[in-house]
Each structure stands twice: as C-alpha cells, then as structure tokens.
Amino acid sequence: MKIKTVLFMVLSLMSLAAFAQSNGGVKGKVISRTTRAAIDGVKVTLTPGDVTTTTDMAGNFLIENLGKGEYTLTFEAAEFEPLTLAVRVDKQVRDINNVVMISNIIAPTLDDAIFAEFDTETLGDAQSLPSSLSASKDVFNNIASYKFSEMRFNVRGYDSQYSDVYMNGIQLNDAMTGYTPWSLWSGLNDATRNQEITSALNMGDVGLGGIAGTTNINTRPSQMRKGLRASVVNGNSMYRFRGMLTYSSGVQDNGWSYAFSISTRQGGNSYVDGVYYNAFGYFAAVEKQFNKQHRLGLTVLGAPTERGAQQASTQEVYDLVGNNYYNPNWGWLNGKRVNSRVRSYHEPVTMLNYTFDINERTQLNVASSLRFGQNGYSALTWYGGPDPRPDYYRYLPSFYDGTYVGAELYEAWMSNTDNIRHINWDNLYNINQNQPENSTYGPGRRAINMVEERHTDQLDWNFYTQFSHIFRNNSKINGGVNLRRNRTEYYSEVKDLLGGDYWVDVDKFAERDMGGLDPIKYQNNMEYYEKYGHAQAAKKGDKYGYDYYGNTLSARGWAQYNVNFGNFGMNLGGEIGHSTVWRHGIWKKGLFLNNSQGDSEKKKYLTYKLKANFNYKFSASHSIDANIIYMQDAPSFQSSFVSPRTRNSVTPGITTEKVFGVDASYNLRIGDIKARISGYYTKFTDQSKVISYYDDVEATFSNFAISGIQKRHFGLEAAASVPIYAGISLNGAISWGQFTYDNNPNYVQIQDNSGEIKNQGKVYWKNFRVESTPQTALNVGLSYRSRNNVFASLDMNHYNNMYLSMSPLYRTDAVLTPGMTPEDIANLRNQEKFSAATVLNASIGKNWFIDRKYTLGFSLEVKNLLNNQDIKTGGYEQIRLLKNKDESYQTYEPFDSKYFYMFGTTYYMNIYFRF
C-alpha cells in the first residue's frame, strides 16, 4: 500500500512538471527606439532549443511550451542592430513587454546649420531648403536627404511648405508662410533626434500630411535613450565650434522621467566674411507615468540666436573681388567687421502632452503648445542720401562702361581703394553727425542713415487631439482634431542710429512721389501726427514705419483607416478644415486713412484633403505601392494682401490653392539588398504670389500681385543599396524630374503709394522651368562598416537642369516698346540655366565601447573634395529694369542677376561621448 502511494505521488509530480513545462513561454513586443513604432518581421531566436519565430505586423511575438529555466533571446532585423537578452522562464508565459531595437543607419554628420537660410530680397529664394530633416528606412530618401543637401535639393521639386513637420503631434509649420521654422529647435540635435518619418504621399500617424511626407519629432523623455551624451564639433562651413550636452533619466521606478539639453554654436566660416553664429539652445522635458494608462508630459525649448547673414551679389562684383563668396553686408568699424544684416531671434516653445492608453488597442492623445518671443532681421536704410550699399549698381564700373569714371572705378574695386568693397561705416557716422539741428523734433541731429530691425513676432497657440484604435483583424482607425490661432506682429524698429539722435518717421517714397506738398500723405502714424503736429522722432528701440498684426484662425478634422487583406493593404484618409485670414492695422497711415487701421476683410477658406495609399506584397522581397492625393489649401497670409505694410487691401484674384498628385513604386528587398524605383506626377493650380519692389519703368514703389499660377512636376526616382564584400556596400540614387510653369498667370501691378493699378495682364511663364532646385541629381557611393564599428563613405554627386529664379516683370507686355526686335524680347525673357556640376564627398568615423557602459566616438565629413568654387547653387533675377535708349528706339535692360555659390572644401568634425 505504501509503494502504491509513493508511485502515485511520483506520477502526480511528473504530471505537474509536464503541465508546467507545456505552459511556460515568453512573449513581448519589438519597437524602434527612435520612432517607438512596432517592427514587423523581426527574427526572434531562443536558445537553447534553437526555437525561431518572427514578429507580426504589430511587433508582437510569442514562444510557448518552454520548460522552466534560463534562456537567451536574439532579435535580428534589417536596418537594426542585433539585440540579445537573457530571460528566465517559469511556469507561465512571461511578458517581457517592449523590446527596444536601435537603428543601425549611420546618422550622417550633417548638422542643422544646413537649414540656416541664405538671405535674398525677392522671389522666396531663401525657402529652397532640404525637404527632409532626417534619414528614413526608404533607400532613396535616406540618400537624397543628406547627400544632395549641399545643392539645396528639394525632393520632387517641392518647397518645405508641402512637408508637414510635427513635434509631439503638434504641427509646427509656420502659420504665416507654411514653411518649417527649423530655427525654433536649431542646435538641439540630440533632443530632437527621435523622429517618425513618412515620405512623399504616405500618411503619418499624426496627420495625413501633404505631398512631401510628414515628420513627427518626439521629445518625450520616457522615449529617449537613457544616459548622458556630450559632443564637440569643429567645422568651417557655418560655424567654427559647437558644444552640446544632453541627459535623459529614462523611466524611473516612481514613474517620473526627465531630460535636458543645452548647446552653443559660435564663430564664422572659412569662406564668407561677416557671417557668424552666436547661438545657444536649451531643452527641458519632464513626464509622469501615473499608471499603465495615464501619462502627462511638459516640454520647453528655445534657441536664442544672433547670426550675421550673407547676401547674394552680381557676377561683375564677384569677378572684381576675385571671390564668389563676396558679402556686401559688412564693413570695418573700429577695427572690427560689422554686418548690417543680422538675424536675431528667440522664440520659446512650450507644450503639454497627455496620453490615455484606454486599453491595449485604443489610445487617446491630447496636446497643446504655445510659441512666443521675437524674431528680427536688420538692414540698412537711408533718407535723401546716397545708397550706402557697396555693390549698388551706380558704384560699379559697368554703369560707366567706356568712360574715364568706369576705368577709375575698375581700378578702385580691383585694389579695394578706400575699402570701396565694403560698407563705409565711418562715413555713415560722419554724415549723421554733420546734420543741422532741427528744433521741430527736439534737440539733436536727424539721422540720414540707420540700421533698422524688421520684426515678425509670433504668438502661436495650438490644440491637438488624436484617437486611434486597432481592431482584432489588425486594421486601424486613426483620427484627430487640430485647432490653431496665430497672431503675428509685423513692425520695424530703430536698431542703430549710427551717431544720429533720432529718425524722422515718414514714408520717404510717398514724400518724394507727392512732392512733399501734403505732409499728411507721407505720415506713417497719423495718430502721433494729429497729437503732436509732426512725425515721430524715433529713438533707438522705437517702432517706426509700420505696425500691424497678421491673423490666422484654423480648425481641421481628419481620419484615416488602414486595413490589410492578405498581401494587399490600403490606407484611406480624409481631412476637412476651415481657415480665416485677416490683417489688423495698429497704425493709421496718411496715404490710406480709411483702409489701414483696424480689421481688414476676413478671408474665409474651406480646406480639405483626400488621400489613399495602396500596397501589394508579392513576397517578402517584392512589393509595389501606389498613392493618390487631391487637396485644397488656404493661401498664406503674405500672399493674401497686396501691401500689408501699408493697408488692408486684399490681393486681386486670391483663392485657394489646389494640388493633385499620384505616384507608384516598385520595392525590392533581398537580405541587405534594397532598391526602389518610383514615378510621380503633381499638378498645382491657383497659386498666388506678391512681390514688392521699386519699378524704374513707372518710377514708383510697386506691388506686383500674381494669381492663378499653375505648375506641373513629374519625374522618376530610383535608388539601391547593394552589399559587395566584408562590410562594403555600393549605394546610388538618381532623381530626374521636369518641373515647369504650366500656364501664363494673371498679374496686377499696383502703385504702393496710391493703390492705383499701373499695369495688368499676363506673365508669360508657360513652359519655363521652376527655379532653385536641381531637376536632375545623381549619387554613386561606396560605404564601409566593420564589425569593430569603423565606418566610411565616398560619394560622387552630379547635378544638372538647375535654373535661375525669374523676375515676372521681364515676361510681361508692360516692358515691350515699339521697335523692339524678337531678339530683344527673347534676350529679356530668356531663363538662365546653370552649368552641370560634379562634387566628391567623403566621411569616416569610429565608435569605441568601454566597459560595456561608455561610448567614445568621432565622425569626420569632408565635402567638395575637388574644391570647386564655381558651382552656382541658387540666385535670382533682380526685378528692376534700366531704360536704354539709342537713336531709333527705347528698350529696357535688366539689372544683373545675383548668385549664390557652393563653398569649396569644407569639413565637419564631431567628437562625442555617452554613457
């Protein structure tokens, strides 16, 4: 009996052990450290036992029927560093929650300085910025975003206003222009490196996006890599030195996490005199995980910056100086270089984020942000005296061609006699200090020359809420509501009186055009004039010239639904919104007593988007996708008003912009071999633009309003990355496009001082090329990465089909005169094409891992190894025209075009330490 009892007990224990073994296991979810997005197709290997599985579309994996004991899990996925974890399995399936993998895409050494815009005065050329800020999994965009940035390449020819950029779900594209204000977080690379990116027509999780993809910058400290990172940079392209320190606590046991980052950038560069950075950056974020469902986070960041700007000049001046990087903005003062064009801004951003994980499949996000501060841009201005700019056309030899004066000027420019190449600050001081005193405006001398600072100070509030739910068939619905209110104050203030005591605040163009007979007509601030009987004597820090608010109020709701049927997947989305734009004049202007102060007409626009993404996977290696969009968007504030500086008049013909786009791609992925080829077509209609300039033909300051602009972009993209041997890969990409104006839009030329229409008609732009980006770009490169973390690359980039920004005035009937020959007209309307260019670049770097806790590394990038200093990267035709008479007839001669050039050989060395 005892033996039977013992046997029964032994068999029972064995059964229990077997039962325990059959129910043990491990499960989890694999996500990207950078984007926090689920990673599907990850190979998960468990040893001992060599059990293998892969993650599903939601990143989940499950291994069951494991015996109690210690195991090792290995995670492998393309574009991610392999990961090994030790795990202990007991009687039940153990949930190890989120498994975080790190991307192995080498972040290139390109810094945010590439987004520091060049400064021009016309045609929006300063907005030719790279359309993507960070690398992505897409092989083409990963190359184009970095390799082509030296040429200010725009993917598919799109300006950055067509790429939606978010931070923690809040869209930060400028409410007034639509462009992305990279300067808000400039210098905070480490704090803003976590980015979720979609390209082209693909939709993002935080919004449908436009035609150039979406970027969502995630600054939540719970999702940043834990530890301290310090780095120093030395370079010669934008600044000399950058220092950065960043720390993230990770999620602590009490649910709190925090992060901070500080940085500074200082110095100038090796090529352009007068250009410099005096910039800082700060970032702080804190987040509380109350429980598994509720999270609340606060982020504060800012980048107070002062930087001297470069301005384009004509080829004549570059040749006289013998340097394509001549900068006319500066001159010597007390032994120091002083730049008249300085950008100075500090616009802090604060945001509050709340996340409610309702359950494992449902999430609600709510966020709000506030942007405020100041943004100023200084420039020389003058009254009744000579133009102080050194490269003004009347100071150049070509204006006196064939005369003794021209020969004298040529010699002076060649030898820089009396610093003729630079602003003569001492002379400007002397002119001001020798002015007679005028008791009308109080004691002191009236400044004839001064430095003003033009401000665009924004107060921008955003509210965002998003809801997402994953159904049991893994389809997903995602949608949200966005509200935005922006009030931007535009004004100019006195920055430096250059030895004078005050500046008389009158409209100098109106005073000249009106002959000075009616003082009311040239008053900028009638309320001041009515109170004191004369114009204001503006002192340093006083506003002058103009003061008004630009206002926008917008609301939009969006939704998308993603579903897969076997190998076929689709994502359907729609958005509807409403936007209101109006001007509010703070000052009453003498020229427009009844149309300058108070609210303008409120322009109201219905906006919407319809978007669809389709994909089909033939196998794990081959897939195709196709996308389509139709959208209607509100015009920008600056395009909506003829002359917001002076009055409330709305731009004639202004309406909503429409965009239609389609693309299709074939994707190849075999092991580490990656390739994509795509075709695309985009049609823009009803674009608008307003340009203000001094018109020599009509002899008055003018506003040139263009409406109904149509553009057509189509082309091909192809890229591949192919491993060759022992860590060496061959990479390449080609972008071929044809971006053209597709019609002859309407224009109205309005005299600024009266509102009188001087000319109207057509701008003959049809079949001319869209400007400022290469329409053909080619990259071929070799990259190497060893197992001991050495990486290097060598790339050749080739660019072609890049065109100069055009003056619309040259291509109107208003500049045609009797007797002009077809050759005269063709010469006036011809669009300049830049020469093709080839550039060689290289990089090298290495990481050292110390005691498995510390990382020390460096990276060095050298661009333009051949030191080619004759590559034009941009430029524009000046609007102005000169009257040119001979014995038989009169013609108009355009002013010389202005250009920017690529720097010669530049380097960027980054040394970093983290733990």
Side-chain angles (χ1 to χ4, degrees):
M1 191 68 179
K2 291 183 179 179
I3 295 176
K4 290 182 179 181
T5 302
V6 172
L7 288 173
F8 178 80
M9 293 177 63
V10 170
L11 290 172
S12 298
L13 289 172
M14 292 176 62
S15 298
L16 287 171
F19 180 80
Q21 288 177 359
S22 64
N23 284 276
V26 60
K27 68 177 182 178
K29 180 176 182 179
V30 183
I31 63 173
S32 166
R33 189 200 76 184
T34 304
T35 67
R36 312 305 292 184
I39 309 173
D40 61 342
V42 178
K43 180 182 178 181
V44 185
T45 304
L46 179 137
T47 55
D50 293 327
V51 178
T52 300
T53 187
T54 56
T55 58
D56 60 19
M57 291 186 60
N60 296 314
F61 71 93
L62 171 63
I63 301 176
E64 297 180 293
N65 300 321
L66 297 179
K68 181 178 178 181
E70 301 284 345
Y71 293 90
T72 298
L73 289 173
T74 302
F75 301 86
E76 298 173 286
E79 298 179 347
F80 289 89
E81 295 180 3
L83 176 66
T84 300
L85 296 176
V87 61
R88 180 176 181 82
V89 175
D90 210 331
K91 296 180 180 180
Q92 297 179 345
V93 175
R94 181 178 178 184
D95 187 354
I96 59 175
N97 297 315
N98 288 342
V99 177
V100 181
M101 297 190 71
I102 300 172
S103 173
N104 64 10
I105 297 176
I106 299 300
T109 59
L110 178 69
D111 187 55
D112 51 69
I114 192 65
F115 302 102
E117 70 274 16
F118 288 98
D119 299 299
T120 67
E121 294 181 332
T122 182
L123 299 179
D125 193 61
Q127 302 297 346
S128 298
L129 305 178
S131 59
S132 179
L133 183 62
S134 181
S136 68
K137 289 184 178 182
D138 180 82
V139 61
F140 175 84
N141 288 315
N142 198 26
I143 293 174
S145 298
Y146 291 111
K147 306 298 185 181
F148 296 153
S149 62
E150 62 202 0
M151 206 68 168
R152 295 193 287 167
F153 174 80
N154 290 339
V155 175
R156 301 186 179 182
Y158 305 148
D159 290 334
S160 71
Q161 71 188 83
Y162 296 105
S163 176
D164 290 353
V165 176
Y166 301 79
M167 183 173 289
N168 298 337
I170 296 173
Q171 188 172 359
L172 292 181
N173 294 68
D174 192 282
M176 296 289 107
T177 65
Y179 292 99
T180 304
W182 308 111
S183 59
L184 292 180
W185 55 89
S186 182
L188 296 170
N189 306 50
D190 287 344
T192 58
R193 68 173 59 250
N194 285 353
Q195 299 177 11
E196 303 159 19
I197 301 168
T198 66
S199 60
L201 302 184
N202 291 296
M203 287 178 259
D205 286 339
V206 291
L208 299 189
I211 56 175
T214 65
T215 298
N216 182 37
I217 302 170
N218 189 334
T219 66
R220 290 190 154 188
S222 64
Q223 299 179 20
M224 292 184 179
R225 178 171 182 167
K226 181 180 179 179
L228 178 73
R229 178 184 173 102
S231 66
V232 293
V233 164
N234 178 249
N236 71 337
S237 59
M238 287 294 175
Y239 44 76
R240 288 293 186 179
F241 170 79
R242 188 196 74 186
M244 186 183 301
L245 182 68
T246 304
Y247 177 75
S248 177
S249 68
V251 180
Q252 299 177 316
D253 292 340
N254 58 6
W256 285 96
S257 57
Y258 61 90
F260 69 83
S261 183
I262 54 175
S263 73
T264 183
R265 292 163 292 159
Q266 300 292 328
N269 64 57
S270 297
Y271 291 97
V272 183
D273 290 332
V275 171
Y276 67 91
Y277 268 81
N278 180 21
F280 301 89
Y282 60 87
F283 166 88
V286 62
E287 187 175 11
K288 171 64 174 177
Q289 177 90 42
F290 294 98
N291 50 44
K292 289 186 177 182
Q293 289 185 299
H294 301 280
R295 285 180 289 158
L296 184 65
L298 174 68
T299 300
V300 179
L301 60 86
T305 298
E306 178 187 271
R307 64 175 186 85
Q310 178 192 9
Q311 191 171 343
S313 195
T314 64
Q315 194 59 53
E316 177 189 5
V317 175
Y318 291 143
D319 292 341
L320 288 169
V321 175
N323 184 346
N324 287 334
Y325 310 115
Y326 166 77
N327 182 13
N329 288 342
W330 70 276
W332 295 102
L333 180 63
N334 298 326
K336 296 182 179 180
R337 290 189 179 98
V338 176
N339 195 324
S340 64
R341 292 262 180 162
V342 175
R343 285 204 180 274
S344 180
Y345 50 85
H346 181 202
E347 298 181 278
V349 177
T350 63
M351 55 182 60
L352 190 67
N353 288 83
Y354 168 70
T355 298
F356 177 27
D357 292 315
I358 301 171
N359 54 50
E360 291 183 354
R361 295 177 174 270
T362 309
Q363 187 180 79
L364 175 69
N365 285 283
V366 181
S368 184
S369 73
L370 183 68
R371 169 186 173 185
F372 56 97
Q374 290 189 328
N375 189 324
Y377 183 27
S378 68
L380 275 172
T381 191
W382 58 96
Y383 171 87
D387 192 321
R389 296 172 297 177
D391 62 344
Y392 181 53
Y393 76 103
R394 291 181 178 269
Y395 302 155
L396 300 179
S398 60
F399 187 72
Y400 307 93
D401 193 28
T403 67
Y404 174 77
V405 174
E408 288 286 305
L409 279 173
Y410 178 82
E411 292 298 326
W413 270 90
M414 293 296 290
S415 58
N416 195 26
T417 303
D418 297 326
N419 270 324
I420 194 174
R421 301 174 178 176
H422 309 301
I423 295 173
N424 191 334
W425 291 110
D426 290 332
N427 185 51
L428 299 183
Y429 273 85
N430 290 335
I431 291 173
N432 286 344
Q433 291 169 349
N434 288 326
Q435 295 299 308
E437 294 196 24
N438 187 334
S439 59
T440 301
Y441 302 103
R445 291 175 171 81
R446 176 179 183 175
I448 299 300
N449 305 283
M450 75 149 174
V451 178
E452 63 174 330
E453 188 167 65
R454 304 162 187 167
H455 277 259
T456 55
D457 297 347
Q458 298 209 22
L459 186 63
D460 188 79
W461 173 80
N462 283 270
F463 174 80
Y464 159 84
T465 182
Q466 179 217 6
F467 175 85
S468 62
H469 178 74
I470 301 175
F471 297 98
R472 295 193 178 276
N473 62 354
N474 283 328
S475 64
K476 181 178 180 180
I477 190 170
N478 190 21
V481 174
N482 300 74
L483 303 176
R484 187 172 197 177
R485 174 70 170 95
N486 182 285
R487 191 197 71 182
T488 299
E489 185 177 7
Y490 295 85
Y491 64 94
S492 190
E493 71 176 20
V494 178
K495 183 177 182 181
D496 192 337
L497 288 165
L498 304 180
D501 295 302
Y502 57 86
W503 178 267
V504 178
D505 184 17
V506 294
D507 185 330
K508 64 180 181 181
F509 290 108
E511 183 181 23
R512 188 200 63 182
D513 291 352
M514 305 298 175
L517 300 177
D518 184 356
I520 290 178
K521 293 294 186 182
Y522 49 85
Q523 297 302 317
N524 287 320
N525 186 347
M526 274 301 300
E527 290 183 342
Y528 188 97
Y529 178 80
E530 290 167 349
K531 183 175 182 179
Y532 297 101
H534 59 78
Q536 180 183 6
K539 306 293 180 63
K540 181 178 180 179
D542 288 344
K543 295 178 181 178
Y544 95 100
Y546 58 92
D547 190 7
Y548 66 94
Y549 290 129
N551 295 277
T552 63
L553 175 62
S554 61
R556 57 191 176 93
W558 58 277
Q560 56 179 287
Y561 177 68
N562 180 275
V563 65
N564 291 278
F565 304 100
N567 292 342
F568 174 76
M570 67 177 180
N571 196 6
L572 306 177
E575 176 184 295
I576 189 166
H578 189 271
S579 181
T580 304
V581 179
W582 74 99
R583 176 190 183 272
H584 177 87
I586 300 174
W587 288 356
K588 182 190 298 182
K589 191 170 177 65
L591 286 169
F592 305 99
L593 293 173
N594 300 316
N595 192 30
S596 53
Q597 193 175 46
D599 285 346
S600 70
E601 172 191 356
K602 292 186 176 181
K603 297 295 292 182
K604 299 180 179 181
Y605 303 99
L606 175 69
T607 64
Y608 59 85
K609 294 177 185 177
L610 298 172
K611 206 170 192 180
N613 304 148
F614 305 97
N615 65 81
Y616 184 81
K617 293 184 178 181
F618 297 96
S619 66
S621 302
H622 306 274
S623 67
I624 57 173
D625 54 68
N627 309 290
I628 186 169
I629 184 175
Y630 185 80
M631 57 183 283
Q632 175 173 291
D633 206 358
S636 69
F637 173 83
Q638 289 297 336
S639 298
S640 298
F641 296 90
V642 172
S643 179
R645 181 180 54 84
T646 62
R647 57 193 184 275
N648 287 333
S649 299
V650 174
T651 303
I654 194 75
T655 187
T656 53
E657 177 187 0
K658 292 86 176 175
V659 182
F660 169 76
V662 293
D663 68 17
S665 302
Y666 166 72
N667 308 284
L668 173 68
R669 183 63 181 267
I670 302 175
D672 290 329
I673 299 175
K674 297 174 289 183
R676 170 167 76 83
I677 183 169
S678 302
Y680 60 90
Y681 174 89
T682 311
K683 180 68 176 286
F684 304 86
T685 57
D686 289 328
Q687 291 185 329
S688 301
K689 182 180 294 187
V690 178
I691 304 167
S692 297
Y693 67 102
Y694 183 80
D695 190 328
D696 299 87
V697 178
E698 298 292 342
T700 185
F701 195 79
S702 293
N703 309 120
F704 198 95
I706 314 172
S707 61
I709 301 171
Q710 296 182 15
K711 296 177 184 176
R712 180 177 59 181
H713 293 215
F714 65 87
L716 296 172
E717 298 170 339
S721 177
V722 181
I724 300 175
Y725 177 75
I728 300 175
S729 295
L730 175 65
N731 310 297
I734 183 169
S735 173
W736 173 87
Q738 185 167 303
F739 318 141
T740 58
Y741 288 94
D742 206 34
N743 74 326
N744 297 321
N746 300 313
Y747 83 92
V748 179
Q749 183 186 358
I750 302 171
Q751 184 174 2
D752 188 62
N753 291 329
S754 67
E756 177 187 352
I757 295 177
K758 305 298 291 186
N759 287 297
Q760 57 185 323
K762 295 286 186 181
V763 179
Y764 298 107
W765 268 354
K766 187 171 184 179
N767 296 327
F768 281 95
R769 294 297 187 102
V770 175
E771 53 277 305
S772 299
T773 184
Q775 301 194 14
T776 300
L778 170 69
N779 166 266
V780 178
L782 289 173
S783 63
Y784 169 74
R785 182 167 187 175
S786 71
R787 292 185 176 181
N788 58 350
N789 294 300
V790 175
F791 56 91
S793 68
L794 178 66
D795 291 274
M796 181 200 75
N797 298 329
H798 179 77
Y799 306 100
N800 203 357
N801 296 325
M802 185 171 181
Y803 296 83
L804 188 69
S805 294
M806 297 182 294
S807 162
L809 180 63
Y810 298 179
R811 295 158 182 89
T812 67
D813 291 333
V815 299
L816 302 184
T817 60
M820 287 184 70
T821 66
E823 184 180 1
D824 293 332
I825 298 173
N827 288 336
L828 186 61
R829 293 181 175 176
N830 181 57
Q831 184 181 22
E832 180 180 345
K833 178 183 177 182
F834 295 162
S835 299
T838 301
V839 182
L840 288 180
N841 303 322
S843 66
I844 189 171
K846 178 173 172 54
N847 296 331
W848 290 270
F849 298 104
I850 305 171
D851 293 336
R852 297 187 178 182
K853 293 193 300 182
Y854 308 102
T855 301
L856 176 65
F858 82 93
S859 61
L860 171 65
E861 183 177 49
V862 182
K863 289 194 168 186
N864 197 356
L865 288 167
L866 301 180
N867 197 30
N868 188 340
Q869 300 186 18
D870 295 317
I871 300 174
K872 292 176 181 174
T873 61
Y876 56 92
E877 296 174 342
Q878 299 191 69
I879 305 292
R880 301 180 67 179
L881 290 165
L882 282 172
K883 292 182 179 180
N884 183 21
K885 293 184 177 181
D886 61 22
E887 296 179 357
S888 57
Y889 62 93
Q890 174 183 296
T891 61
Y892 293 109
E893 180 181 347
F895 278 51
D896 289 346
S897 300
K898 295 190 174 185
Y899 304 101
F900 288 112
Y901 282 85
M902 182 186 294
F903 291 161
T905 303
T906 60
Y907 71 92
Y908 188 88
M909 168 70 83
N910 184 19
I911 301 174
Y912 54 90
F913 176 76
R914 66 171 180 254
F915 66 90

